[in-house]
Amino acid sequence: DERETTGWRWIRGEGRLAPLVLKAPGDELPVSVEVFASRASLEPLVEGDDVRIRIKVEVSGRLADQVSAEGFDLKDKKIDSLNRRMAQVVCNDIEIALHKAQELNSDVFGFGNLIYRKLPQEWKRLEGRWDEIFPTLPVEIEVNATVRRTGMIREPIKSR
């Protein structure tokens, strides 16, 4: 579905121009952040029979729209909260995609290929059991999300 595809795109580093709808700190009303840059790095970690993948995703966005009565300033603590909320949404999308891929035993992320390229000796040892390893493969996810611009939406429109 859409969230699984979005999670796949985050892992592939293709999350650019993705709109994220978050709840604003304080009043919990919708705030939209447009992602203008994302980058992902994947690292295989193999120690004996312990196989893991570490995914690090960096996301940058700008405040695109808000219903919230809260104002936002890039030096404000509310932006820190918005950054954490943005990172959590990205992390949730990734977890949904991972769960579905592992449920279907389909390595659509290329984790096996990643091990093959970066740790070829380990891959030779794991290759025959990859169909058994992948469905339960632990994946560490680290997301760093930053709202870099507020544009002209620093202060919401107020009615008189």
Side-chain angles (χ1 to χ4, degrees):
D1 67 8
E2 186 176 332
R3 295 226 27 218
E4 293 161 351
T5 304
T6 302
W8 177 84
R9 292 184 70 209
W10 291 125
I11 292 171
R12 304 290 297 167
E14 299 174 5
R16 200 169 62 85
L17 301 178
L20 297 176
V21 179
L22 314 169
K23 291 182 179 183
D27 59 16
E28 299 293 313
L29 290 171
V31 172
S32 177
V33 175
E34 181 182 18
V35 174
F36 59 79
S38 74
R39 193 174 82 209
S41 65
L42 284 71
E43 177 184 8
L45 304 167
V46 180
E47 296 168 4
D49 284 341
D50 182 27
V51 181
R52 294 176 289 130
I53 300 291
R54 180 177 296 144
I55 300 172
K56 292 183 181 181
V57 179
E58 291 187 35
V59 179
S60 298
R62 71 174 181 86
L63 200 58
D65 193 18
Q66 72 175 352
V67 176
S68 173
E70 299 285 325
F72 291 98
D73 187 332
L74 291 178
K75 296 177 182 143
D76 194 352
K77 292 223 183 271
K78 286 182 276 187
I79 285 290
D80 292 339
S81 177
L82 200 60
N83 290 340
R84 285 190 301 277
R85 291 166 189 240
M86 190 164 92
Q88 189 59 55
V89 167
V90 171
C91 188
N92 291 347
D93 287 346
I94 291 171
E95 286 174 349
I96 288 168
L98 284 168
H99 176 73
K100 187 60 156 187
Q102 288 180 317
E103 178 184 301
L104 297 172
N105 198 13
S106 177
D107 186 4
V108 295
F109 310 109
F111 294 158
N113 188 31
L114 178 71
I115 295 170
Y116 168 76
R117 286 183 290 113
K118 297 213 174 189
L119 304 168
Q121 295 295 39
E122 295 294 341
W123 177 249
K124 286 179 185 175
R125 195 173 53 80
L126 300 171
E127 181 178 16
R129 298 180 308 136
W130 188 244
D131 286 342
E132 299 166 21
I133 295 170
F134 178 74
T136 59
L137 180 70
V139 179
E140 300 172 8
I141 305 167
E142 181 183 319
V143 179
N144 182 18
T146 308
V147 174
R148 298 216 182 273
R149 301 180 189 140
T150 58
M152 298 176 70
I153 310 180
R154 205 175 336 199
E155 289 293 322
I157 297 174
K158 296 179 179 150
S159 62
R160 295 178 194 225

